[in-house]
């Protein structure tokens, strides 16, 4: 990135607008690195300034008259962007849900995968795997069910794979590993959690050319229009960083970073398990989802903050299905994780 | 920017998410550099990845049920983002306008400023000054009229000042130089045309805390929610570039760049004037707006492309009011501008 920044000050190295969809080399590298076996091509990749931004651009694509489904609990940006686009009805205080959103409960009882036979049809299904906050990664069989469900209903899946590199078991790292997914799914991804690019701003979205609206028009063509009108591409300097990430050294460095945080995860899991709590997630994600049965998430959050001076995230912030849980993040320095573990053991001994 | 990129690889220099509104130092520097006399404060500034992106985020803020007005001709992103948000009716081929948009004609006859007494009320008024493509900068008196018009109608002005540094006469460089503007206007701006940041992606939008919806709620509060939900801030590396631009050396370098392109503009003006054409703009903008009375913009574009191998922009691409004009851009290497001038003189001699 430093080299690219310097190069911008030279006649040969300067570059201006475009391509809005991302540099050809980076699109090709993403396709080759993450989608070599699934038939996704360079031209299906849209480089972005992050998954969060692309989620909102996708919502602009879908417009205000669609109905979405989300996992409950889930990353708040799906619901929030739906509210902003005017897709929802009023917030219902009693159930802590917005009207006209389908909340698909994901709990220990159903293995954090919704019972699709009881889920009504929606236009769009946001599905995050490995899930933020629960850390659950859907299995191949579950994703096969999901793709079939979307196909039968004429729904579009927006599959958020921002944590895919954290997968340790044989769960699919991309929805496009599932046969038929290219006709029903969009995938959004990010360098944020692999390379610490949260401030650099770089991600991508895959819209296969096989994904069509019911009138046969390719979804990618309309998204391309939005990318060109409402966005002008990720910073060229950030894109140079993306190319660095996908070089052999970069891939190795990202694996090391992911491995480091997974060690942090193990420390957190050991802490709560030894205290007798049920913990979920963790294996395929940088998040540990700790159950405090019968307790209010915010009360647990406040207790840990005030008594141990450790910051966690109350589960109910991710939807009503998160009530009674707290999300513990593994993104931290090792000494801080160890110290937090010590204090938590002291607090709950 | 190279230093910031390097720093990201160190424990002390690493930074992650936020602030979504931009770094405090950069917001303060923008307020101090461009708005010292107009009472705009650091907290009124939202740093962005470019004016185009913020125009669309503003459209998301406004929603699908507003009516906008645009200068005709104008930068296409206002109309295109309005269409995408569903604010418009169908395209009317006969008049080459979208339904439910108010096109405010700006022509040599009215000095490129609309006759506001004949413009109906709209919710939003997009106003670009210096204008792309005409190069016309509105005078203090004209902007005072515009602010009064918006105030009387309860309209919000979105003032695009992306070319303000090109102003050579005493036209205001910001809408906020006009008394009362803080209660009716938003201003969007960019480093793209001052520092060649088109690929770096950095701009800003000013939403004064005095700008309220009719129920008294501050517009900035809602925009802040959109910035936090649909965007996560400009790249920290690009923001380091912005701080560089606003240092004493950076400001001098930007003035030099602007001065260089203004010399290009002079060469283009001399070329067409000597050939007997009426040219507009140029004085306060990097664009020369050349009139080919009675001719079709695309025909002129094709003629210049095919016979002189010079690329221009057909005026009708900016709206029906651009028909019969061609926009010539001064953004080029000096030797290319001189060569283009030579060929144009040969073509139209």
């Amino acid at each position: 990135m430093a080299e690219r920044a310097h190069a911008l000050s030279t006649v040969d190295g300067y570059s201006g607008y475009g391509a809005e969809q991302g540099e050809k080399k980076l699109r090709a590298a993403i396709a080759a690195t993450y989608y070599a076996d699934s038939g996704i091509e360079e031209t299906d990749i849209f480089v972005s300034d992050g998954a969060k931004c692309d989620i909102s651009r996708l919502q602009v694509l879908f417009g205000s008259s669609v109905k979405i489904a989300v996992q409950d609990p889930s990353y708040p940006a799906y619901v929030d962007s739906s509210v902003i686009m005017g897709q929802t009805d009023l917030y219902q205080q009693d159930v802590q849900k917005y009207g006209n959103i389908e909340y698909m409960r994901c709990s220990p009882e159903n293995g954090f995968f919704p019972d699709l036979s009881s889920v009504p049809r929606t236009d769009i299904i946001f599905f995050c795997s490995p899930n933020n906050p629960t850390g659950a990664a859907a299995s191949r069989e579950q994703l096969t069910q999901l793709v079939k469900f979307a196909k039968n209903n004429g729904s579009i899946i927006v599959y958020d794979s921002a944590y895919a590199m954290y997968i340790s078991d044989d769960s699919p790292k991309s929805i496009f590993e599932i046969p038929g997914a290219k006709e029903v799914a969009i995938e959004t991804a990010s360098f944020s959690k692999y390379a610490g690019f949260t401030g650099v701003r770089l991600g991508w979205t895959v819209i296969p050319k096989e994904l069509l609206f019911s009138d046969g028009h390719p979804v990618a063509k309309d998204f391309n229009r939005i990318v060109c009108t409402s966005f002008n591409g990720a910073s060229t300097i950030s894109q140079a960083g993306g190319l660095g990430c996908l070089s052999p050294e970069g891939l190795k460095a990202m694996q090391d970073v992911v491995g480091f945080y997974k060690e942090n995860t193990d420390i957190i899991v050991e802490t709560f398990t030894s205290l007798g709590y049920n913990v979920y997630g963790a294996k395929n994600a940088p998040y540990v989802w700790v159950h405090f049965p019968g307790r209010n998430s915010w009360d647990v959050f406040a207790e840990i903050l005030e008594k141990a001076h450790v910051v966690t995230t109350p589960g109910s912030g991710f939807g009503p299905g998160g009530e009674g849980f707290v999300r513990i993040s593994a993104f931290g320095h090792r000494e801080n994780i160890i110290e937090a573990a010590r204090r938590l053991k002291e607090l709950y001994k």
Side-chain angles (χ1 to χ4, degrees), chain A residues 159-183:
Chain A
Y159 189 80
D160 186 341
S161 67
Y163 301 94
M165 272 186 78
Y166 288 82
I167 291 176
S168 294
D169 64 16
D170 61 353
S171 302
K173 293 187 177 171
S174 162
I175 188 81
F176 299 118
E177 293 183 33
I178 308 302
K182 287 207 284 283
E183 284 124 63

Side-chain angles (χ1 to χ4, degrees), chain A residues 46 61 207 211 213 217-227:
Chain A
F46 294 85
L61 171 73
I207 308 194
L211 181 67
F213 288 115
H217 185 79
V219 173
K221 275 206 167 182
D222 281 9
F223 190 67
N224 187 61
R225 192 69 170 89
I226 287 174
V227 162

